[in-house]
Amino acid sequence: RSTLFPYTTLFRSRDTLLLNNGSLNNDSGTNNFSNAWFNIATDAAMKFRIDETLFFQPQIYFGYNWISSDNLYINGDTVSSQNFNLFNIAPSARFVKNIIGGWYGALAVKYMATFGDNKDIYVNGLRAAKIAIDNYTEIGMNIEYDYEQFVFDANLAKQIGGFDGWIGNINVKYLF
């Protein structure tokens, strides 16, 4: 039996309206800066039972990101960038195994395609570089434990391509 579970989010823990301020200390003194980031996204997934303990879950993610940054002043130079408008599409697939007594393991692969206008970086008003966000593939594994209304999970993934490196996180969720 298969199950379709689409959902749309405006504000979520990893993709949200984010405002941050900070200070940059360098040879020319202390400089204040701020950034703003807004994201809206939707996911849809389908779960297919392969056997009593194994599931296959294809998923598709669509997202929009807007990023804005203030000028930075580094060693007497002014560094600025234009606002970013980025669209993401990420097909993915997971195999989820019910191990025993609320424990689950998963293997996943995702391809993140990013579309948008590449923006310029300016130093003292002169164009210095163009920023481009490249597509990447992510291959990872996940372990999860469900206890009553709590879900504890940890994952580790290798990113290859536009982002190259390892990422991981630990989550605790309470299901209402």
Side-chain angles (χ1 to χ4, degrees):
R1 185 173 154 215
S2 62
T3 309
L4 175 66
F5 44 99
Y7 52 96
T8 301
T9 59
L10 177 58
F11 297 101
R12 51 195 271 180
S13 61
R14 64 186 166 102
D15 303 318
T16 185
L17 175 63
L18 173 69
L19 301 172
N20 68 359
N21 291 296
S23 294
L24 177 65
N25 299 309
N26 56 42
D27 294 341
S28 61
T30 300
N31 301 293
N32 296 319
F33 64 92
S34 63
N35 299 303
W37 173 38
F38 173 77
N39 170 273
I40 186 169
T42 188
D43 296 81
M46 194 101 176
K47 186 186 284 185
F48 298 96
R49 180 184 300 270
I50 296 174
D51 65 26
E52 290 302 311
T53 63
L54 184 64
F55 299 89
F56 173 67
Q57 182 181 339
Q59 183 172 340
I60 188 77
Y61 165 94
F62 297 97
Y64 167 75
N65 298 280
W66 173 81
I67 304 167
S68 177
S69 296
D70 272 354
N71 293 340
L72 289 174
Y73 303 96
I74 302 172
N75 297 327
D77 293 320
T78 302
V79 179
S80 62
S81 67
Q82 301 167 314
N83 293 342
F84 288 86
N85 293 287
L86 304 169
F87 296 91
N88 306 108
I89 298 174
S92 64
R94 292 178 4 131
F95 284 95
V96 181
K97 174 81 171 163
N98 182 344
I99 301 169
I100 189 168
W103 286 94
Y104 296 87
L107 297 175
V109 63
K110 170 175 75 175
Y111 181 77
M112 176 66 79
T114 301
F115 306 93
D117 42 356
N118 297 336
K119 294 299 184 176
D120 296 321
I121 296 292
Y122 294 90
V123 177
N124 297 327
L126 300 174
R127 190 175 78 150
K130 188 173 282 290
I131 293 180
I133 308 295
D134 293 331
N135 303 339
Y136 65 92
T137 300
E138 188 174 292
I139 302 168
M141 59 184 167
N142 174 275
I143 188 83
E144 178 180 303
Y145 179 69
D146 296 351
Y147 177 75
E148 295 181 4
Q149 289 182 267
F150 288 94
V151 177
F152 305 90
D153 74 43
N155 65 55
L156 181 65
K158 172 69 173 149
Q159 294 179 326
I160 304 161
F163 292 108
D164 193 20
W166 290 90
I167 64 165
N169 60 49
I170 297 172
N171 300 296
V172 177
K173 302 172 194 168
Y174 181 78
L175 305 175
F176 294 93

